[in-house]
């Protein structure tokens, strides 16, 4: 049975851009590749993220830190050949960098410990002043090339997940505090208006943020935002070239989004922006859950409500051009991306594309829907089927009952109101807009040929339907029945009838010229 239609008479609120303020990416120098750039161009056309964040800006693959000897003396040259190419490309596509300062260049590293297939060095600098010079040179170059007004809109984050020994040697908290203090002061030495923050911690070490806050306050260290990450998967169950993991309910992501403000409440950092600079279900780049319709329905309530809890929450990542666990062995391999290689759209891509079509004025929301209106009076409703992370029976036929106003008092319609509205519905589910399922039905080809790729792109498109709805007392009432793991976007627009006088009897017989009863007036026309 459908639940009662939601009450949308409450004072409207605004849908923030927190869900698309930032998106994650594979390591910085992957942006030089054609497949990456084509994927980002598609994402920006249809979703339009504001910032992009990834690892490896200062790693060897980007070639910024270049020590050399001359005249018997060691020197360091700072080169920005790749940095400029990547950031130029980002800005051309309408997305700004969210800079992460890391990892350690090998010529500056105090040890050989690394992370990932591409070997990002996780050790502190062996010369702290040389690290400060690297940061200063990088930030100064960016300000000089792109202008202070531009670069001050780019948040600068110090390192990545230092609370994990995999990302910071021995997860040494005191060493990270030293790194943060030196880095933040160096950034501010370039210009006090630049944004710097951290500590970019992973889930599971919440008290790190409390101690970090105490440290920066006690020592008056600059900080403009706080950051952390959010994931909900359990331990990895390894299979060749992949993993499986249990998942906590999606509400656990929202709890993690809310944690920084709860921890910092009533303290000196309480009013700072909170950026969730990575989030996803699984933290693994080889978990097939990322490719599924389940995943889109799992994340729908997170996108709908996350902006109430954080200033941004950055999906990790926009595409599968990503090599932390090595070069992928198959087109679909459980990668983080909204897109596979070669721009096949996953169901979660469409969740984001649907969100991009929503209005800013929130009319209603609940555990399975979000209703908005734009300035032109177009009403959009996002609805999603519930998911069960325990593997229980699928929820087929879940029904959402909606009662929404049409039109906008601030945008009166011209023409003659028809008393009807036009509904366009776009859906992805287990059976609709699901390229991963189509790929499985093809036999899981590791390297699909051109015809297979074309078929997968067609299978990836949402299924669309449309119909006319009556407007009664200024509202449209409808029941939306959802398939298993379906996410659907409803776009409702009031109709202004422009049918000519002679068109009011168009039907199948008339279209085929079989209706002989044509009046003289119609014949004259």
């Amino acid at each position: 049975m459908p639940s009662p239609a939601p009450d949308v008479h409450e004072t409207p609120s605004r849908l923030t851009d927190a869900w698309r303020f930032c998106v994650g990416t594979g390591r910085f120098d992957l942006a030089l590749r054609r497949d990456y750039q084509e994927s980002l161009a598609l994402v920006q056309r249809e979703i339009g993220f504001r910032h992009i964040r990834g690892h490896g800006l200062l790693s060897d693959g980007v070639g910024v830190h270049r020590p050399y000897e001359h005249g018997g003396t060691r020197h360091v040259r700072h080169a920005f050949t790749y940095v400029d190419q990547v950031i130029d490309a980002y800005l051309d596509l309408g997305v700004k960098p969210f800079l992460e300062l890391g990892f350690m260049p090998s010529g500056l590293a105090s040890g050989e410990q690394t992370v990932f297939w591409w070997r990002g060095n996780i050790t502190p600098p062996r010369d702290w002043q040389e690290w400060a010079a690297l940061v200063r040179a990088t930030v100064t170059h960016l300000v000089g090339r792109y202008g202070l007004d531009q670069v001050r809109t780019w948040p600068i984050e110090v390192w990545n997940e230092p609370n994990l020994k995999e990302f910071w040697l021995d997860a040494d908290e005191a060493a990270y505090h030293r790194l943060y203090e030196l880095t933040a002061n160096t950034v501010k030495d370039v210009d006090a208006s630049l944004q710097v923050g951290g500590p970019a911690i992973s889930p599971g070490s919440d008290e790190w943020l409390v101690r970090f806050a105490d440290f920066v306050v006690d020592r008056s260290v600059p900080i403009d935002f706080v950051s952390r990450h959010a994931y909900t998967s359990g331990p990895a169950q390894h299979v060749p070239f992949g993993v499986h993991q249990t998942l906590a309910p999606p509400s656990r992501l929202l709890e993690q989004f809310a944690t920084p403000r709860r921890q910092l409440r009533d303290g000196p950092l309480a009013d700072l922006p909170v950026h969730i600079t990575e989030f996803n279900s699984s933290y693994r780049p080889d978990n097939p859950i990322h490719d599924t319709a389940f995943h889109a329905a799992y994340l729908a309530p997170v996108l709908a409500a996350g902006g109430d809890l954080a200033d941004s929450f950055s999906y990790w990542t926009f595409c599968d051009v990503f090599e932390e666990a090595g070069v992928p062995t198959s087109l679909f391999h459980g990668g983080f991306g909204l897109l596979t290689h070669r721009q096949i759209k996953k169901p979660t891509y469409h969740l984001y594309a649907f969100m991009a079509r929503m209005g800013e004025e929130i009319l209603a929301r609940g555990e399975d829907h979000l209703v908005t209106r734009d300035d032109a009076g177009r009403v959009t409703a996002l609805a999603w089927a519930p998911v069960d992370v325990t593997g229980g029976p699928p929820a087929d036929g879940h029904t959402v009952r909606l009662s929404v106003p049409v039109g906008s008092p601030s945008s009166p319609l011209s023409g003659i109101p028809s008393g009807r509205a036009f509904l366009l519905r776009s859906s992805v589910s287990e059976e609709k807009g699901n390229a991963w399922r189509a790929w499985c039905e093809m036999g899981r080809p590791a390297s699909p040929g051109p015809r297979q790729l074309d078929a997968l792109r067609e299978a990836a498109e949402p299924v669309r339907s449309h119909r006319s709805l009556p407007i009664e007392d200024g509202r449209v009432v409808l029941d939306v029945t959802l398939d298993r793991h379906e996410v659907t976007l409803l776009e409702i627009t009031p109709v202004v009838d422009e049918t000519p006088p002679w068109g009011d009897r168009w039907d199948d017989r008339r279209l085929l010229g079989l209706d002989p009863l044509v009046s003289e007036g119609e014949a004259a026309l």
Side-chain angles (χ1 to χ4, degrees), residues 438-485:
W439 177 75
C440 293
E441 292 167 349
M442 283 182 177
R444 294 179 169 85
S447 298
R451 290 184 181 273
Q452 290 174 310
L453 288 170
D454 287 344
L456 288 171
R457 291 189 183 102
E458 292 185 16
E461 287 303 304
V463 170
R464 293 184 169 89
S465 60
H466 52 83
R467 61 188 170 110
S468 176
L469 300 171
I471 300 173
E472 298 177 355
D473 298 324
R475 308 181 74 79
V476 165
V477 178
L478 69 159
D479 289 341
V480 183
T481 301
L482 302 170
D483 295 337
R484 183 185 182 195
H485 301 152

Side-chain angles (χ1 to χ4, degrees), residues 315-470:
Y315 185 78
W316 188 253
T317 60
F318 83 90
C319 81
D320 281 350
V321 181
F322 191 91
E323 296 175 349
E324 288 184 1
V327 177
T329 60
S330 182
L331 180 69
F332 283 95
H333 57 274
F336 290 121
L338 300 172
L339 295 169
T340 71
H341 288 261
R342 300 174 180 265
Q343 298 83 57
I344 307 298
K345 300 173 183 177
K346 302 181 188 181
T348 305
Y349 176 96
H350 293 297
L351 169 63
Y352 271 85
F354 292 168
M355 284 290 292
R357 298 181 65 85
M358 302 290 282
E360 291 186 358
E361 181 185 4
I362 298 175
L363 300 179
R365 62 179 167 187
E367 62 182 12
D368 54 11
H369 66 274
L370 171 68
V371 183
T372 68
R373 180 168 55 198
D374 66 16
D375 291 340
R378 180 181 62 99
V379 173
T380 49
L382 185 73
W384 53 90
V387 298
D388 185 351
V389 297
T390 68
D396 290 317
H398 179 78
T399 299
V400 181
R401 173 165 288 176
L402 298 174
S403 172
V404 298
V406 294
S408 169
S410 60
S411 301
L413 297 169
S414 59
I416 303 172
S418 67
R420 302 197 68 81
F422 176 74
L423 167 66
L424 177 64
R425 178 173 177 176
S426 305
S427 299
V428 295
S429 68
E430 291 296 332
E431 304 289 340
K432 304 169 184 174
N434 190 342
W436 182 78
R437 184 178 180 120
W439 177 75
C440 293
E441 292 167 349
M442 283 182 177
R444 294 179 169 85
S447 298
R451 290 184 181 273
Q452 290 174 310
L453 288 170
D454 287 344
L456 288 171
R457 291 189 183 102
E458 292 185 16
E461 287 303 304
V463 170
R464 293 184 169 89
S465 60
H466 52 83
R467 61 188 170 110
S468 176
L469 300 171

Side-chain angles (χ1 to χ4, degrees), residues 210-260:
V210 176
R211 294 191 295 269
F212 173 76
D214 290 341
F215 171 79
V216 297
V217 170
D218 291 346
R219 293 184 59 84
S220 300
V221 179
I223 184 166
D224 299 295
F225 64 88
V226 295
S227 62
R228 67 158 289 164
H229 300 165
Y231 293 95
T232 52
S233 53
Q237 304 162 26
H238 290 272
V239 297
F241 304 104
V243 301
H244 301 289
Q245 295 167 286
T246 58
L247 293 179
S251 60
R252 194 69 58 81
L253 281 171
L254 296 174
E255 292 171 8
Q256 293 179 54
F257 290 6
T259 297

Side-chain angles (χ1 to χ4, degrees), residues 270-283:
D271 295 329
L272 289 184
V274 172
H275 294 303
I276 308 300
T277 49
E278 291 181 23
F279 91 94
N280 208 314
S281 55
S282 168
Y283 58 84

